[in-house]
Every structure is written in C-alpha cells, then in structure tokens.
Amino acid sequence: MLLRNIFKTNIVKNSYLHLQTSYILKHQQATSQIICKRFVSEMEILYPNPRRDESISDTYLNKVEVKDPYRWMEDPDSEETKKFVDEQNAITRPFLDKCPFRADINTRLTELWNYPKYSCPRQHGDKFFFYKNTGLQNQSVLYVQDSLTAEPKVFIDPNTLSDDGTVALQVTAFSEDEQIFSYGLSSCGSDWISVHFKHVEKGDIYPEQLNKVKLTELSWTHDNKGIFYGCYLDQEGKTDGSETETNKNQKLYYHRVGTPQSEDVLVVEFLEEPNFIIGSGVSDCGRYLIVTPQKGCQDNLVYISDLETVKYEISGKLDLIPIITKIEADYEFIANNGTSFIFRTNKNAPNYKLIIIDIENPAPESWQTLIPENEKDVLEWAEAVYDNYLAICYIQDVKSVLQLHDLKTGKLIKKFPLETGTITGFSGDRKYKDIFFQFASFLTPGIIYHCDLSNPQFDVEIFREIEVEKFDREKFTTEQVFYQSKDGTRVPMFIIYKKGLQKDGNNPCYLYGYGGFNISLLPSFSVTRLVFIDNFDGVVAVPNIRGGGEYGEKWHRGGRLENKQNVFDDFQSAAEYLIQEKYTCNKLLTINGGSNGGLLVAACANQRPDLFGCAVANVGVLDMLRFHKFTIGYLWVSDYGSAENEKDFEYLYKYSPLHNIRIPDDPNIQYPATLLSTADHDDRVVPLHSLKFIATLQHTFRNHPYQKNPLLIRIEKKAGHGGGKPTAKIIEEITDIMCFIVNTTGIKFHL
C-alpha cells in the first residue's frame, strides 16, 4: 500500500506532467509536410549510429538467446553513453525549435498556467497549514495561519533552496504536540530525499540531516522526541538519482531530534527479504507502531509493536506482534480503538472493505467486518476524523463518491453531494472537528469544501474556489462512453471537446492511458488539455483500461502479469472507437503515457503502427526482460512478472517494447512519429530504457525507404521521473511535445 500510495500521489501531484501532456495540435497540412520532409531528410543523415555489440546476449529457458547490443548504455556515467545523449539532443532540439507556433504555444500555456493553486488546509495544534502556488512559481509554498481567516505567512518556501527550482518539498510530518515539523527535500527530481527538522514557533532549523532516505513515511512517537523512517544506509556509490544500482535492504530506523544520524537506532529489518519496503506509522493513540512490509507494489504483511513495553525509550530492535504473515492481499491501517484495529483490505473483497482485527486475537476467523464490500463501487480510501467518524471515498463508474460513517458501527451518516469528478485532496484528524475536501473535474480546476463535524447537520460550505482567468468552461463538454475491447470487455472512456464539434473524422485527438498498478485515472483538471482543445480544435480521450483500479482488484488483475496484453488491446480498441465514431482519424491521433503508460504507448506503436499518427512515451518502462535489475525496478515484478521466471518470460518477451520493434509488412505503413522523453536523474525508470529503445528504433528504420516519420528522444538534465519538477521545466517540456506533434501531424494553432 505504501508504494502504490507514493506512486499514485506522484501521478496526482504531477498530473500536469503525465495527464496534461495530452495534446495534439492543428497546423496546416502542407506546412507540416514541408517541415517534416526537410528535417526527416536531415535526420536520416544525422541519426546517431552508436556502437552495436552483437556479442552481448542473455539466454532464457536454456534455449532462447536474446541479444542486447546496447547493453553499454546501462552505464550512465560512461563517456560513450554521454556522447550518445548529446548526439540525440542535438538532432531533437532543432526539430522542436522549428515549430512555427512555438512562441504562441509557450505563451498560451504560460498565460493559462498562471493561476493560484491551493491545497486543503490541515490543522496542527491551533494553526492551519496549506500549500499555495501563485501561478508560475517553480514549487508550491507551505503557508501557516493562526486561524482560517488570519493572514497566511510563509512557513517553508522551497523556491529559496535552489536557483532553478529543482529542490522540492516532499514527505512531511508534524510531531504530536505540533511543535516540530519534519520534512524531506528532493533534488533534481530524484526519489532520494534528505530529512530535516524545523521548530514551528521559533522557526529554527535543527542541525541534523538524514540521508539515504527513500520510499518512506515519517512517523513521530507521541513523546515528540523522534521519528521512524525507512533508510538505505548500506547503499554504496551515488545516491543522487543518476545511479542505476539496485536499492536493497531498506531498514527502519528511529531518529531522536537533535542528534546526528550516526546515532539513529535500527528498530526493524528483514534480512531474509532484501526486497522489502517497510511501511510504518504510529497509531492515533501513540501506543502502537504499525509495520507493513511489502515486496512489490501490492499486498503486504502487518506487524505491530507495543511501544509502551519499552516506555518509548527506543534503544534497539522492537518486538513485533505478527498480524498478517502471508503476502496475499492489501492491508492498510486506518485507525484503532484500543486493541481493535481497522484495516482497509481486498482480502476476499476485490472492491475492498473495512475490517476490525483485535490484535490480542488476530486469527482470521475472529475478524469482524465494519464496512462490507460494495459489489459495484470501489472503496478507494478511508480516514478516521473527529473523534469517532469515518470519511470514506468510493469510486463509482470512475467518479468519486464521498460519505461519512460511524467509526464504531460503520453506519452511513451522510452522503456529500458532488458533481461528476474527483476528490483530489482531503484533510481531517480525530483531534479536530473540521474536515476539508477538494473537488476537481476535467472542467473544474478545484473547489475546496469545509465541513464542521461538531455541527449535527454536517453542513458543507465552499471554503475556496480556484479560478482560471480567461477560461470559460461553458465552451467545453465532457462525455463518458463505454466501448468494447477486443475480448468483448466493456471499457469506460471520458471524451472532452468544444461544444459544436463536427464528428467528421478530421479532428486532432489526444489519447492518454496508463493501465497498471491498480491506479485509477479519474477526472482531473488540465490547462494543457484545454489549450489543446480550445486552441487546436482537438479532442482529448482518457480510457479507463484494465490494469487500473477503477473497478477494483478484478479490473487490476485483468491487466497484470499474463493478462497485460488486455491493457494494450483496451487502448487500441479505444483508438478504433474514436476513429469509427469519427472523432478523429489515425493520422491525427496521438497517443501518450508516462512510466507504465510509456510502456503502453511503445507496445501499442509496435503492435499497431497503422493506428496512430504520433506516439509520445514519457519515462517509459521499455526493457521488460531487465527492468528488475535497476534501482527499484524489482518492485514492479508484482505487476509485470520477471523474465527469470519461465512462465513470465514467455509473455514478457512477446510484448517487451525493446524486443518487438519490427518493420511493418505493408510497405505503405510507417512507424508512427515518435518522441521519447527521459531525464538524467530518473531513478525510478532509469534512462537506459529510453536510450536503448531509441537506438534500436533508429537502427531498425534508418535505411527503410518508407519511413518518413521522425523517431526522436528528448533527454532532460536535472530532472527525474516527474515528482518535484519545477513549473518552468514542465511548461518547457509540454511546449516541446506540442511542437513535435504540430510538426508531425499537420495541425494549426489559433487564438
């Protein structure tokens, strides 16, 4: 649960990158053809021709030899790899800069992006904290105010921590007395963070810094003396995000504020399981530490330590009470009343339910159901608030439903009225009476609501409404359709466009997908998408393909492991639907996705090059035979499988993008115009995936007489997988992607 929440949060926080790089633009066909002819001709000469070492190969199943001629690109620090990166950027940059609408695109994006963005306020003691970005700040700023109506003051401004905005504020936690703030800072987009401490009232920064920290939460003991955190102190070599070495043996430590990291206490480790990521959290009562190890991106164990037995004087390894000892389902701790612990789980409940486990009698036959599984709707999250209330969010046909329940009985108390859209933010605590939740949709940038739970009527009022200047939502419309995939499965899809759209097959269309890790793509606001729709007369489509969590664990399992081809089929069927219903045509259809979505784009381009005019794959997982050998790639085996397993190899080898690049049999079919993007500090999906793929793609089509579409890559410096990317870099990247699509699909920008 920890990992999926981190990855999901990263997608939500950076939806402007993964979801807003959703565009296809309109430009005069003739002009585009002239540009493409000129640059394709030049690029046929200028494509780098890196060394291929045909002697390097791996043998699978003791009989299948798979060559890996660009294995040397797995070393990011070699001079040869650096030279290849420079050569690729040298041919990509001029192509993107020649877009005739580049300045207009960048100006329009910047203009609409420049609106204030807020998070929900969160109470800590007698103060309220919230994030705000005035519009174009590289990083959002954390503010504090003495009351909801008091003048906000800057608490931490990450923009002051670097000259270029590449230092970002990540995981945070307040001490129980709300007097000390612990926070992690990341640099250049890396998943590594350094942990720091600040006194809330005095503003003093404590002298210590915790390093080699990654994939963790920060959890305070209730004596306010220190935090539990996950760390890789044994990690050797670089830990700045530019390395490829596997991260193994995460251990849980306890740090006392005011002491150096060298004195931190090792409290939990699993020596027999070096791939475990150790989640942890202290219960609301402060007595218990809940430890949730997981080996992949789903399913976990549960152990509990009674901190009262050591009187909170933590000096060594903690005794752990085993609660869940078999990795077979998700268990997310929600709250406890004494020894009765509430967990959200999909054990025998694909759509999730809430159960009560008495830790003094944790046998499964003694478990009680607090909130039963809903056969139709997915219980997405639950949070204990104000004494004994429970806020619960469901996904109902890819839309959020928010409810208030009784924490002790599970009884439904209130359904909060919502339009079609998504709860994108929530704050509440058992200590405080106020809850806040933020709503957004494809056409609503954000409305923050407030509810005082001490009021028996539970009245909801608008606390703050986020507005975008020069945006008229009445010009646009959103529809949800359901189409059939290849195997007959009914798949939902949102389609957004301007009112009055002519369905004549001549509209540019942007199709975005993800399809993995139980992550749901719910409606979200995107300036970039709206620029594409408004200024390029385009259509945006977001299908909720299998592999996601929109319909629970069954939907997820329908697109993972040996079922992964269903994800690609769903996406291709979405494209066919859009063409059949005359929203667009294949030449004006661009597909885009990031990370697991980059895998989706590349696999679909390989399998159906005739179906798409343009493919943009951001930070994609593209080498499915070796992904588990780098940084945290082994965690994805839970969704992908491993080529070291005979059964898994069979299906991985069939769809692995790197190993399935083929010249189409039909000479009239080209490979789609393709732009890959990666970054030098992406330590989640390391750049070697994109480097090896583009080298193989260019090698395959270098001398093919029918390939006129460009095959390019954009490699960014001082950036990572997407989290913490500065606004300036985001707008520049989106501008580049738009320019690529303009230059390759022949569509026109207009005001």
Side-chain angles (χ1 to χ4, degrees), residues 428-440:
D429 194 288
R430 294 184 76 175
K431 295 185 294 185
Y432 307 119
K433 62 184 179 63
D434 297 300
I435 64 170
F436 300 86
F437 55 93
Q438 186 163 354
F439 170 86

Side-chain angles (χ1 to χ4, degrees), residues 716-729:
E716 188 157 22
K717 302 291 181 68
K718 298 185 71 175
H721 196 64
K725 180 172 282 191
T727 298
K729 280 183 175 288

Side-chain angles (χ1 to χ4, degrees), residues 60-61 79 138 159 193 251 333 377 393 420 437 441 446 459 470-471 477 571 623 632 654 671-672 684 702 725 735:
Y60 297 88
L61 311 183
E79 291 305 315
N138 278 321
N159 298 290
I193 62 171
K251 300 175 183 180
F333 172 68
D377 304 335
C393 186
T420 298
F437 55 93
S441 71
D459 293 329
K470 299 181 181 179
F471 164 61
T477 189
F571 199 58
D623 184 348
I632 61 168
K654 286 181 180 178
Y671 202 86
R684 191 173 303 182
R702 182 184 311 278
K725 180 172 282 191
T735 300

